[in-house]
Amino acid sequence: MLEERSLQKELLDAEDIPTADLFQNLRELDRINTLLGGYDITFSALKKVIQPEKNYVLIDIGCGGGDTLKRIQQWQLRNKLKLELIGIDLKPVCIEYATQHKARPDIQFICDDYRNMFQHVAQIDLIHACLFCHHLDERQLIELVQFAMDKNAVLIINDLERNWFAYWSIKILTALFSKSYLVKNDAPLSVARGFVKKEWIDLINKAGAKHFSVKNKWAFRHEVIIYGSENGQ
């Protein structure tokens, strides 16, 4: 069932969802990420690419409710790092939630397509995508990688691995414990739409990237780091 990426199955469209239901979904996604250590993959990647004495501008694309940026900010403060944090998402309701629930005022949120980010921010050092890339097909992902390289930004991807055990595990767990019909529907479909490691390597090569790493991580995740031409490792 999961041998080929399931693009025919669609996640529920946020535009058709009542705001209260979407907010419940966002809260549960943050809880799942926390319990399963999903944010730790982002922290691990950031430690590999940032230098403590330097200032960085990080933009989180497809930022949803902004919880990833809140966790990055907490991690940044603990480690005394210098990150300017910005989230961008197409969905106004997600930006509304993110703005209402941000822990500190110095996280900026923008409602727009990620490809327009440089219309809002002049310089971006790190482009971060957490649980965003499984919404894209191969062509769109190649375009994302090339976009980051063209802008000489480091692209950090934290996303799901397509795996039968992960699919059925999350399907059963959300059926038993989730109060959100969105989580029950979207969580297993997100796993089905994920990539395996070889697919990541193949599409990054197709995009023309020369300096990158793809690592399997805990709880069926991938840590992908792609370096721009001026910051290759």
PDB file of all heavy atoms in Angstrom, residues 26 29 59-69 86-91 94-95 98 109-115 117 127-136 144 158-159:
ATOM      1  N   LEU A  26      -4.205  22.214  15.280  1.00  0.00           N
ATOM      2  CA  LEU A  26      -2.873  22.792  15.466  1.00  0.00           C
ATOM      3  C   LEU A  26      -2.333  22.501  16.859  1.00  0.00           C
ATOM      4  O   LEU A  26      -1.150  22.216  17.034  1.00  0.00           O
ATOM      5  CB  LEU A  26      -2.928  24.305  15.201  1.00  0.00           C
ATOM      6  CG  LEU A  26      -3.227  24.708  13.746  1.00  0.00           C
ATOM      7  CD1 LEU A  26      -3.470  26.207  13.646  1.00  0.00           C
ATOM      8  CD2 LEU A  26      -2.101  24.287  12.818  1.00  0.00           C
ATOM      9  N   LEU A  29      -1.219  18.842  16.909  1.00  0.00           N
ATOM     10  CA  LEU A  29       0.015  18.625  16.157  1.00  0.00           C
ATOM     11  C   LEU A  29       1.235  19.042  16.967  1.00  0.00           C
ATOM     12  O   LEU A  29       2.279  18.370  16.941  1.00  0.00           O
ATOM     13  CB  LEU A  29      -0.038  19.397  14.831  1.00  0.00           C
ATOM     14  CG  LEU A  29      -0.990  18.854  13.762  1.00  0.00           C
ATOM     15  CD1 LEU A  29      -0.978  19.754  12.543  1.00  0.00           C
ATOM     16  CD2 LEU A  29      -0.629  17.427  13.383  1.00  0.00           C
ATOM     17  N   ILE A  59      13.603  31.667   8.167  1.00  0.00           N
ATOM     18  CA  ILE A  59      12.194  31.733   7.803  1.00  0.00           C
ATOM     19  C   ILE A  59      11.647  30.314   7.732  1.00  0.00           C
ATOM     20  O   ILE A  59      12.234  29.426   7.121  1.00  0.00           O
ATOM     21  CB  ILE A  59      11.974  32.502   6.481  1.00  0.00           C
ATOM     22  CG1 ILE A  59      10.478  32.762   6.262  1.00  0.00           C
ATOM     23  CG2 ILE A  59      12.605  31.815   5.294  1.00  0.00           C
ATOM     24  CD1 ILE A  59      10.179  33.918   5.333  1.00  0.00           C
ATOM     25  N   ASP A  60      10.533  30.100   8.419  1.00  0.00           N
ATOM     26  CA  ASP A  60       9.874  28.799   8.478  1.00  0.00           C
ATOM     27  C   ASP A  60       8.742  28.816   7.470  1.00  0.00           C
ATOM     28  O   ASP A  60       7.763  29.547   7.637  1.00  0.00           O
ATOM     29  CB  ASP A  60       9.348  28.550   9.891  1.00  0.00           C
ATOM     30  CG  ASP A  60       8.768  27.160  10.068  1.00  0.00           C
ATOM     31  OD1 ASP A  60       9.363  26.206   9.535  1.00  0.00           O
ATOM     32  OD2 ASP A  60       7.737  27.032  10.739  1.00  0.00           O
ATOM     33  N   ILE A  61       8.865  28.025   6.395  1.00  0.00           N
ATOM     34  CA  ILE A  61       7.866  28.042   5.330  1.00  0.00           C
ATOM     35  C   ILE A  61       6.763  27.022   5.640  1.00  0.00           C
ATOM     36  O   ILE A  61       7.023  25.967   6.195  1.00  0.00           O
ATOM     37  CB  ILE A  61       8.496  27.796   3.950  1.00  0.00           C
ATOM     38  CG1 ILE A  61       9.155  26.418   3.869  1.00  0.00           C
ATOM     39  CG2 ILE A  61       9.513  28.891   3.650  1.00  0.00           C
ATOM     40  CD1 ILE A  61       9.712  26.088   2.491  1.00  0.00           C
ATOM     41  N   GLY A  62       5.535  27.382   5.290  1.00  0.00           N
ATOM     42  CA  GLY A  62       4.408  26.542   5.686  1.00  0.00           C
ATOM     43  C   GLY A  62       4.339  26.434   7.192  1.00  0.00           C
ATOM     44  O   GLY A  62       4.162  25.353   7.756  1.00  0.00           O
ATOM     45  N   CYS A  63       4.438  27.567   7.867  1.00  0.00           N
ATOM     46  CA  CYS A  63       4.652  27.591   9.323  1.00  0.00           C
ATOM     47  C   CYS A  63       3.437  27.147  10.124  1.00  0.00           C
ATOM     48  O   CYS A  63       3.554  26.903  11.332  1.00  0.00           O
ATOM     49  CB  CYS A  63       5.101  28.975   9.773  1.00  0.00           C
ATOM     50  SG  CYS A  63       3.833  30.263   9.602  1.00  0.00           S
ATOM     51  N   GLY A  64       2.258  27.039   9.475  1.00  0.00           N
ATOM     52  CA  GLY A  64       1.069  26.600  10.207  1.00  0.00           C
ATOM     53  C   GLY A  64       0.778  27.504  11.390  1.00  0.00           C
ATOM     54  O   GLY A  64       0.745  28.730  11.269  1.00  0.00           O
ATOM     55  N   GLY A  65       0.580  26.896  12.548  1.00  0.00           N
ATOM     56  CA  GLY A  65       0.245  27.655  13.744  1.00  0.00           C
ATOM     57  C   GLY A  65       1.424  28.289  14.461  1.00  0.00           C
ATOM     58  O   GLY A  65       1.240  28.890  15.522  1.00  0.00           O
ATOM     59  N   GLY A  66       2.627  28.168  13.913  1.00  0.00           N
ATOM     60  CA  GLY A  66       3.793  28.842  14.478  1.00  0.00           C
ATOM     61  C   GLY A  66       4.447  28.145  15.645  1.00  0.00           C
ATOM     62  O   GLY A  66       5.390  28.672  16.234  1.00  0.00           O
ATOM     63  N   ASP A  67       3.992  26.924  15.988  1.00  0.00           N
ATOM     64  CA  ASP A  67       4.547  26.250  17.166  1.00  0.00           C
ATOM     65  C   ASP A  67       6.008  25.847  16.976  1.00  0.00           C
ATOM     66  O   ASP A  67       6.779  25.849  17.931  1.00  0.00           O
ATOM     67  CB  ASP A  67       3.710  25.019  17.518  1.00  0.00           C
ATOM     68  CG  ASP A  67       2.337  25.401  18.045  1.00  0.00           C
ATOM     69  OD1 ASP A  67       2.283  26.185  19.008  1.00  0.00           O
ATOM     70  OD2 ASP A  67       1.323  24.945  17.492  1.00  0.00           O
ATOM     71  N   THR A  68       6.386  25.504  15.743  1.00  0.00           N
ATOM     72  CA  THR A  68       7.791  25.159  15.500  1.00  0.00           C
ATOM     73  C   THR A  68       8.691  26.352  15.801  1.00  0.00           C
ATOM     74  O   THR A  68       9.742  26.209  16.426  1.00  0.00           O
ATOM     75  CB  THR A  68       7.987  24.693  14.053  1.00  0.00           C
ATOM     76  OG1 THR A  68       7.219  23.511  13.826  1.00  0.00           O
ATOM     77  CG2 THR A  68       9.451  24.388  13.781  1.00  0.00           C
ATOM     78  N   LEU A  69       8.273  27.534  15.380  1.00  0.00           N
ATOM     79  CA  LEU A  69       9.084  28.723  15.650  1.00  0.00           C
ATOM     80  C   LEU A  69       9.149  29.027  17.140  1.00  0.00           C
ATOM     81  O   LEU A  69      10.178  29.478  17.652  1.00  0.00           O
ATOM     82  CB  LEU A  69       8.533  29.922  14.886  1.00  0.00           C
ATOM     83  CG  LEU A  69       8.854  29.953  13.388  1.00  0.00           C
ATOM     84  CD1 LEU A  69       8.214  31.166  12.732  1.00  0.00           C
ATOM     85  CD2 LEU A  69      10.348  29.944  13.140  1.00  0.00           C
ATOM     86  N   ILE A  86      11.047  34.150  11.460  1.00  0.00           N
ATOM     87  CA  ILE A  86       9.925  34.598  10.643  1.00  0.00           C
ATOM     88  C   ILE A  86       9.180  33.367  10.140  1.00  0.00           C
ATOM     89  O   ILE A  86       9.796  32.387   9.709  1.00  0.00           O
ATOM     90  CB  ILE A  86      10.410  35.434   9.436  1.00  0.00           C
ATOM     91  CG1 ILE A  86      11.232  36.633   9.919  1.00  0.00           C
ATOM     92  CG2 ILE A  86       9.234  35.895   8.577  1.00  0.00           C
ATOM     93  CD1 ILE A  86      12.073  37.272   8.834  1.00  0.00           C
ATOM     94  N   GLY A  87       7.853  33.401  10.192  1.00  0.00           N
ATOM     95  CA  GLY A  87       7.041  32.336   9.644  1.00  0.00           C
ATOM     96  C   GLY A  87       6.217  32.829   8.479  1.00  0.00           C
ATOM     97  O   GLY A  87       5.737  33.966   8.483  1.00  0.00           O
ATOM     98  N   ILE A  88       6.045  31.975   7.467  1.00  0.00           N
ATOM     99  CA  ILE A  88       5.230  32.352   6.311  1.00  0.00           C
ATOM    100  C   ILE A  88       4.299  31.196   5.972  1.00  0.00           C
ATOM    101  O   ILE A  88       4.700  30.029   5.973  1.00  0.00           O
ATOM    102  CB  ILE A  88       6.112  32.760   5.106  1.00  0.00           C
ATOM    103  CG1 ILE A  88       5.267  33.364   3.993  1.00  0.00           C
ATOM    104  CG2 ILE A  88       6.947  31.590   4.601  1.00  0.00           C
ATOM    105  CD1 ILE A  88       6.087  34.091   2.929  1.00  0.00           C
ATOM    106  N   ASP A  89       3.037  31.516   5.694  1.00  0.00           N
ATOM    107  CA  ASP A  89       2.041  30.492   5.356  1.00  0.00           C
ATOM    108  C   ASP A  89       0.970  31.138   4.488  1.00  0.00           C
ATOM    109  O   ASP A  89       0.634  32.309   4.674  1.00  0.00           O
ATOM    110  CB  ASP A  89       1.414  29.905   6.626  1.00  0.00           C
ATOM    111  CG  ASP A  89       0.757  28.556   6.381  1.00  0.00           C
ATOM    112  OD1 ASP A  89      -0.278  28.507   5.688  1.00  0.00           O
ATOM    113  OD2 ASP A  89       1.275  27.541   6.883  1.00  0.00           O
ATOM    114  N   LEU A  90       0.442  30.358   3.556  1.00  0.00           N
ATOM    115  CA  LEU A  90      -0.600  30.852   2.659  1.00  0.00           C
ATOM    116  C   LEU A  90      -1.946  31.029   3.344  1.00  0.00           C
ATOM    117  O   LEU A  90      -2.776  31.819   2.891  1.00  0.00           O
ATOM    118  CB  LEU A  90      -0.778  29.869   1.494  1.00  0.00           C
ATOM    119  CG  LEU A  90       0.047  30.079   0.234  1.00  0.00           C
ATOM    120  CD1 LEU A  90      -0.178  28.919  -0.729  1.00  0.00           C
ATOM    121  CD2 LEU A  90      -0.317  31.397  -0.434  1.00  0.00           C
ATOM    122  N   LYS A  91      -2.177  30.304   4.431  1.00  0.00           N
ATOM    123  CA  LYS A  91      -3.513  30.247   5.019  1.00  0.00           C
ATOM    124  C   LYS A  91      -3.690  31.339   6.075  1.00  0.00           C
ATOM    125  O   LYS A  91      -3.022  31.323   7.109  1.00  0.00           O
ATOM    126  CB  LYS A  91      -3.759  28.874   5.636  1.00  0.00           C
ATOM    127  CG  LYS A  91      -3.637  27.716   4.646  1.00  0.00           C
ATOM    128  CD  LYS A  91      -3.885  26.403   5.331  1.00  0.00           C
ATOM    129  CE  LYS A  91      -3.714  25.240   4.359  1.00  0.00           C
ATOM    130  NZ  LYS A  91      -2.310  25.105   3.887  1.00  0.00           N
ATOM    131  N   CYS A  94      -4.182  30.145   9.712  1.00  0.00           N
ATOM    132  CA  CYS A  94      -2.969  29.691  10.403  1.00  0.00           C
ATOM    133  C   CYS A  94      -2.168  30.875  10.932  1.00  0.00           C
ATOM    134  O   CYS A  94      -1.664  30.839  12.060  1.00  0.00           O
ATOM    135  CB  CYS A  94      -2.110  28.852   9.458  1.00  0.00           C
ATOM    136  SG  CYS A  94      -2.810  27.232   9.073  1.00  0.00           S
ATOM    137  N   ILE A  95      -2.060  31.915  10.129  1.00  0.00           N
ATOM    138  CA  ILE A  95      -1.336  33.113  10.567  1.00  0.00           C
ATOM    139  C   ILE A  95      -2.070  33.780  11.725  1.00  0.00           C
ATOM    140  O   ILE A  95      -1.450  34.296  12.666  1.00  0.00           O
ATOM    141  CB  ILE A  95      -1.150  34.090   9.392  1.00  0.00           C
ATOM    142  CG1 ILE A  95      -0.261  33.451   8.310  1.00  0.00           C
ATOM    143  CG2 ILE A  95      -0.541  35.406   9.864  1.00  0.00           C
ATOM    144  CD1 ILE A  95       1.138  33.069   8.787  1.00  0.00           C
ATOM    145  N   ALA A  98      -1.194  31.662  14.735  1.00  0.00           N
ATOM    146  CA  ALA A  98       0.209  31.854  15.092  1.00  0.00           C
ATOM    147  C   ALA A  98       0.431  33.203  15.773  1.00  0.00           C
ATOM    148  O   ALA A  98       1.166  33.303  16.769  1.00  0.00           O
ATOM    149  CB  ALA A  98       1.085  31.747  13.843  1.00  0.00           C
ATOM    150  N   PHE A 109       5.154  36.956  11.578  1.00  0.00           N
ATOM    151  CA  PHE A 109       4.399  36.032  10.741  1.00  0.00           C
ATOM    152  C   PHE A 109       3.866  36.769   9.514  1.00  0.00           C
ATOM    153  O   PHE A 109       3.388  37.899   9.609  1.00  0.00           O
ATOM    154  CB  PHE A 109       3.250  35.399  11.524  1.00  0.00           C
ATOM    155  CG  PHE A 109       3.715  34.420  12.566  1.00  0.00           C
ATOM    156  CD1 PHE A 109       3.725  34.773  13.911  1.00  0.00           C
ATOM    157  CD2 PHE A 109       4.172  33.164  12.204  1.00  0.00           C
ATOM    158  CE1 PHE A 109       4.167  33.876  14.875  1.00  0.00           C
ATOM    159  CE2 PHE A 109       4.614  32.266  13.160  1.00  0.00           C
ATOM    160  CZ  PHE A 109       4.609  32.619  14.496  1.00  0.00           C
ATOM    161  N   ILE A 110       3.958  36.095   8.362  1.00  0.00           N
ATOM    162  CA  ILE A 110       3.576  36.672   7.075  1.00  0.00           C
ATOM    163  C   ILE A 110       2.609  35.726   6.377  1.00  0.00           C
ATOM    164  O   ILE A 110       2.849  34.520   6.313  1.00  0.00           O
ATOM    165  CB  ILE A 110       4.822  36.881   6.178  1.00  0.00           C
ATOM    166  CG1 ILE A 110       5.813  37.847   6.844  1.00  0.00           C
ATOM    167  CG2 ILE A 110       4.423  37.384   4.803  1.00  0.00           C
ATOM    168  CD1 ILE A 110       7.183  37.848   6.201  1.00  0.00           C
ATOM    169  N   CYS A 111       1.526  36.267   5.840  1.00  0.00           N
ATOM    170  CA  CYS A 111       0.576  35.469   5.075  1.00  0.00           C
ATOM    171  C   CYS A 111       0.874  35.651   3.583  1.00  0.00           C
ATOM    172  O   CYS A 111       0.548  36.684   2.988  1.00  0.00           O
ATOM    173  CB  CYS A 111      -0.858  35.888   5.387  1.00  0.00           C
ATOM    174  SG  CYS A 111      -2.109  34.801   4.660  1.00  0.00           S
ATOM    175  N   ASP A 112       1.524  34.633   2.993  1.00  0.00           N
ATOM    176  CA  ASP A 112       1.916  34.717   1.589  1.00  0.00           C
ATOM    177  C   ASP A 112       2.494  33.378   1.155  1.00  0.00           C
ATOM    178  O   ASP A 112       2.747  32.497   1.988  1.00  0.00           O
ATOM    179  CB  ASP A 112       2.945  35.836   1.377  1.00  0.00           C
ATOM    180  CG  ASP A 112       2.928  36.387  -0.052  1.00  0.00           C
ATOM    181  OD1 ASP A 112       2.362  35.716  -0.949  1.00  0.00           O
ATOM    182  OD2 ASP A 112       3.492  37.474  -0.271  1.00  0.00           O
ATOM    183  N   ASP A 113       2.726  33.237  -0.131  1.00  0.00           N
ATOM    184  CA  ASP A 113       3.437  32.085  -0.689  1.00  0.00           C
ATOM    185  C   ASP A 113       4.918  32.207  -0.324  1.00  0.00           C
ATOM    186  O   ASP A 113       5.473  33.313  -0.356  1.00  0.00           O
ATOM    187  CB  ASP A 113       3.258  32.080  -2.208  1.00  0.00           C
ATOM    188  CG  ASP A 113       3.749  30.798  -2.864  1.00  0.00           C
ATOM    189  OD1 ASP A 113       4.973  30.536  -2.796  1.00  0.00           O
ATOM    190  OD2 ASP A 113       2.931  30.071  -3.439  1.00  0.00           O
ATOM    191  N   TYR A 114       5.554  31.076  -0.004  1.00  0.00           N
ATOM    192  CA  TYR A 114       6.967  31.144   0.393  1.00  0.00           C
ATOM    193  C   TYR A 114       7.839  31.726  -0.719  1.00  0.00           C
ATOM    194  O   TYR A 114       8.888  32.331  -0.442  1.00  0.00           O
ATOM    195  CB  TYR A 114       7.484  29.762   0.813  1.00  0.00           C
ATOM    196  CG  TYR A 114       7.925  28.873  -0.331  1.00  0.00           C
ATOM    197  CD1 TYR A 114       9.207  28.995  -0.884  1.00  0.00           C
ATOM    198  CD2 TYR A 114       7.084  27.906  -0.861  1.00  0.00           C
ATOM    199  CE1 TYR A 114       9.612  28.184  -1.931  1.00  0.00           C
ATOM    200  CE2 TYR A 114       7.490  27.094  -1.910  1.00  0.00           C
ATOM    201  CZ  TYR A 114       8.761  27.242  -2.438  1.00  0.00           C
ATOM    202  OH  TYR A 114       9.163  26.442  -3.472  1.00  0.00           O
ATOM    203  N   ARG A 115       7.417  31.557  -1.977  1.00  0.00           N
ATOM    204  CA  ARG A 115       8.229  32.062  -3.092  1.00  0.00           C
ATOM    205  C   ARG A 115       8.278  33.582  -3.140  1.00  0.00           C
ATOM    206  O   ARG A 115       9.094  34.163  -3.859  1.00  0.00           O
ATOM    207  CB  ARG A 115       7.703  31.493  -4.409  1.00  0.00           C
ATOM    208  CG  ARG A 115       8.005  30.009  -4.577  1.00  0.00           C
ATOM    209  CD  ARG A 115       7.219  29.368  -5.690  1.00  0.00           C
ATOM    210  NE  ARG A 115       5.798  29.286  -5.365  1.00  0.00           N
ATOM    211  CZ  ARG A 115       4.910  28.566  -6.052  1.00  0.00           C
ATOM    212  NH1 ARG A 115       5.320  27.861  -7.093  1.00  0.00           N
ATOM    213  NH2 ARG A 115       3.646  28.532  -5.698  1.00  0.00           N
ATOM    214  N   MET A 117       8.817  35.318  -0.334  1.00  0.00           N
ATOM    215  CA  MET A 117       9.399  35.723   0.953  1.00  0.00           C
ATOM    216  C   MET A 117      10.367  36.887   0.831  1.00  0.00           C
ATOM    217  O   MET A 117      10.453  37.721   1.729  1.00  0.00           O
ATOM    218  CB  MET A 117      10.094  34.531   1.627  1.00  0.00           C
ATOM    219  CG  MET A 117      11.316  33.993   0.896  1.00  0.00           C
ATOM    220  SD  MET A 117      12.168  32.675   1.812  1.00  0.00           S
ATOM    221  CE  MET A 117      11.039  31.303   1.540  1.00  0.00           C
ATOM    222  N   ILE A 127      16.325  28.599   5.443  1.00  0.00           N
ATOM    223  CA  ILE A 127      14.941  28.295   5.102  1.00  0.00           C
ATOM    224  C   ILE A 127      14.603  26.957   5.740  1.00  0.00           C
ATOM    225  O   ILE A 127      15.259  25.946   5.472  1.00  0.00           O
ATOM    226  CB  ILE A 127      14.732  28.243   3.580  1.00  0.00           C
ATOM    227  CG1 ILE A 127      15.057  29.605   2.946  1.00  0.00           C
ATOM    228  CG2 ILE A 127      13.302  27.825   3.246  1.00  0.00           C
ATOM    229  CD1 ILE A 127      15.017  29.605   1.431  1.00  0.00           C
ATOM    230  N   HIS A 128      13.593  26.958   6.585  1.00  0.00           N
ATOM    231  CA  HIS A 128      13.250  25.763   7.349  1.00  0.00           C
ATOM    232  C   HIS A 128      11.852  25.290   6.964  1.00  0.00           C
ATOM    233  O   HIS A 128      10.931  26.095   6.829  1.00  0.00           O
ATOM    234  CB  HIS A 128      13.297  26.081   8.853  1.00  0.00           C
ATOM    235  CG  HIS A 128      12.895  24.929   9.723  1.00  0.00           C
ATOM    236  ND1 HIS A 128      11.634  24.814  10.256  1.00  0.00           N
ATOM    237  CD2 HIS A 128      13.582  23.841  10.137  1.00  0.00           C
ATOM    238  CE1 HIS A 128      11.560  23.699  10.977  1.00  0.00           C
ATOM    239  NE2 HIS A 128      12.718  23.088  10.922  1.00  0.00           N
ATOM    240  N   ALA A 129      11.709  23.974   6.776  1.00  0.00           N
ATOM    241  CA  ALA A 129      10.414  23.393   6.418  1.00  0.00           C
ATOM    242  C   ALA A 129      10.171  22.184   7.297  1.00  0.00           C
ATOM    243  O   ALA A 129      10.850  21.168   7.167  1.00  0.00           O
ATOM    244  CB  ALA A 129      10.397  22.999   4.942  1.00  0.00           C
ATOM    245  N   CYS A 130       9.206  22.284   8.195  1.00  0.00           N
ATOM    246  CA  CYS A 130       8.866  21.188   9.104  1.00  0.00           C
ATOM    247  C   CYS A 130       7.459  20.682   8.760  1.00  0.00           C
ATOM    248  O   CYS A 130       6.490  21.447   8.827  1.00  0.00           O
ATOM    249  CB  CYS A 130       8.921  21.654  10.557  1.00  0.00           C
ATOM    250  SG  CYS A 130       8.535  20.359  11.763  1.00  0.00           S
ATOM    251  N   LEU A 131       7.365  19.422   8.351  1.00  0.00           N
ATOM    252  CA  LEU A 131       6.090  18.801   7.986  1.00  0.00           C
ATOM    253  C   LEU A 131       5.364  19.596   6.901  1.00  0.00           C
ATOM    254  O   LEU A 131       4.141  19.708   6.892  1.00  0.00           O
ATOM    255  CB  LEU A 131       5.201  18.632   9.224  1.00  0.00           C
ATOM    256  CG  LEU A 131       5.800  17.812  10.366  1.00  0.00           C
ATOM    257  CD1 LEU A 131       4.800  17.679  11.501  1.00  0.00           C
ATOM    258  CD2 LEU A 131       6.275  16.450   9.900  1.00  0.00           C
ATOM    259  N   PHE A 132       6.143  20.140   5.997  1.00  0.00           N
ATOM    260  CA  PHE A 132       5.617  20.918   4.876  1.00  0.00           C
ATOM    261  C   PHE A 132       5.814  20.186   3.548  1.00  0.00           C
ATOM    262  O   PHE A 132       4.938  20.190   2.679  1.00  0.00           O
ATOM    263  CB  PHE A 132       6.311  22.289   4.835  1.00  0.00           C
ATOM    264  CG  PHE A 132       6.008  23.114   3.612  1.00  0.00           C
ATOM    265  CD1 PHE A 132       4.758  23.690   3.439  1.00  0.00           C
ATOM    266  CD2 PHE A 132       6.966  23.329   2.631  1.00  0.00           C
ATOM    267  CE1 PHE A 132       4.474  24.452   2.314  1.00  0.00           C
ATOM    268  CE2 PHE A 132       6.696  24.085   1.510  1.00  0.00           C
ATOM    269  CZ  PHE A 132       5.448  24.657   1.345  1.00  0.00           C
ATOM    270  N   CYS A 133       6.954  19.511   3.406  1.00  0.00           N
ATOM    271  CA  CYS A 133       7.335  18.992   2.091  1.00  0.00           C
ATOM    272  C   CYS A 133       6.486  17.820   1.627  1.00  0.00           C
ATOM    273  O   CYS A 133       6.392  17.572   0.416  1.00  0.00           O
ATOM    274  CB  CYS A 133       8.816  18.614   2.087  1.00  0.00           C
ATOM    275  SG  CYS A 133       9.903  20.059   2.168  1.00  0.00           S
ATOM    276  N   HIS A 134       5.840  17.098   2.546  1.00  0.00           N
ATOM    277  CA  HIS A 134       4.990  16.005   2.084  1.00  0.00           C
ATOM    278  C   HIS A 134       3.716  16.513   1.405  1.00  0.00           C
ATOM    279  O   HIS A 134       2.971  15.728   0.805  1.00  0.00           O
ATOM    280  CB  HIS A 134       4.655  15.032   3.227  1.00  0.00           C
ATOM    281  CG  HIS A 134       3.858  15.627   4.333  1.00  0.00           C
ATOM    282  ND1 HIS A 134       4.434  16.038   5.516  1.00  0.00           N
ATOM    283  CD2 HIS A 134       2.523  15.866   4.459  1.00  0.00           C
ATOM    284  CE1 HIS A 134       3.489  16.501   6.312  1.00  0.00           C
ATOM    285  NE2 HIS A 134       2.321  16.408   5.694  1.00  0.00           N
ATOM    286  N   HIS A 135       3.474  17.817   1.480  1.00  0.00           N
ATOM    287  CA  HIS A 135       2.357  18.415   0.749  1.00  0.00           C
ATOM    288  C   HIS A 135       2.723  18.678  -0.718  1.00  0.00           C
ATOM    289  O   HIS A 135       1.840  19.011  -1.515  1.00  0.00           O
ATOM    290  CB  HIS A 135       1.945  19.740   1.395  1.00  0.00           C
ATOM    291  CG  HIS A 135       1.350  19.592   2.759  1.00  0.00           C
ATOM    292  ND1 HIS A 135       0.015  19.352   2.971  1.00  0.00           N
ATOM    293  CD2 HIS A 135       1.918  19.643   3.992  1.00  0.00           C
ATOM    294  CE1 HIS A 135      -0.229  19.273   4.267  1.00  0.00           C
ATOM    295  NE2 HIS A 135       0.916  19.440   4.908  1.00  0.00           N
ATOM    296  N   LEU A 136       3.999  18.558  -1.063  1.00  0.00           N
ATOM    297  CA  LEU A 136       4.481  18.901  -2.401  1.00  0.00           C
ATOM    298  C   LEU A 136       4.764  17.651  -3.211  1.00  0.00           C
ATOM    299  O   LEU A 136       5.101  16.600  -2.660  1.00  0.00           O
ATOM    300  CB  LEU A 136       5.757  19.746  -2.296  1.00  0.00           C
ATOM    301  CG  LEU A 136       5.707  20.972  -1.384  1.00  0.00           C
ATOM    302  CD1 LEU A 136       7.064  21.679  -1.389  1.00  0.00           C
ATOM    303  CD2 LEU A 136       4.595  21.926  -1.789  1.00  0.00           C
ATOM    304  N   LEU A 144      11.686  23.989  -4.918  1.00  0.00           N
ATOM    305  CA  LEU A 144      12.030  24.521  -3.602  1.00  0.00           C
ATOM    306  C   LEU A 144      13.534  24.450  -3.369  1.00  0.00           C
ATOM    307  O   LEU A 144      14.149  25.426  -2.906  1.00  0.00           O
ATOM    308  CB  LEU A 144      11.289  23.741  -2.511  1.00  0.00           C
ATOM    309  CG  LEU A 144      11.710  24.001  -1.064  1.00  0.00           C
ATOM    310  CD1 LEU A 144      11.533  25.468  -0.685  1.00  0.00           C
ATOM    311  CD2 LEU A 144      10.921  23.103  -0.104  1.00  0.00           C
ATOM    312  N   ASN A 158      12.583  18.960   7.840  1.00  0.00           N
ATOM    313  CA  ASN A 158      12.238  18.003   8.899  1.00  0.00           C
ATOM    314  C   ASN A 158      10.887  17.422   8.497  1.00  0.00           C
ATOM    315  O   ASN A 158       9.862  18.091   8.584  1.00  0.00           O
ATOM    316  CB  ASN A 158      12.172  18.744  10.235  1.00  0.00           C
ATOM    317  CG  ASN A 158      11.672  17.885  11.385  1.00  0.00           C
ATOM    318  OD1 ASN A 158      11.269  16.746  11.209  1.00  0.00           O
ATOM    319  ND2 ASN A 158      11.668  18.455  12.580  1.00  0.00           N
ATOM    320  N   ASP A 159      10.888  16.167   8.018  1.00  0.00           N
ATOM    321  CA  ASP A 159       9.631  15.640   7.508  1.00  0.00           C
ATOM    322  C   ASP A 159       9.539  14.129   7.699  1.00  0.00           C
ATOM    323  O   ASP A 159      10.479  13.483   8.160  1.00  0.00           O
ATOM    324  CB  ASP A 159       9.451  16.000   6.031  1.00  0.00           C
ATOM    325  CG  ASP A 159       8.004  16.341   5.702  1.00  0.00           C
ATOM    326  OD1 ASP A 159       7.121  15.496   5.954  1.00  0.00           O
ATOM    327  OD2 ASP A 159       7.747  17.446   5.187  1.00  0.00           O
TER     328      ASP A 159
END
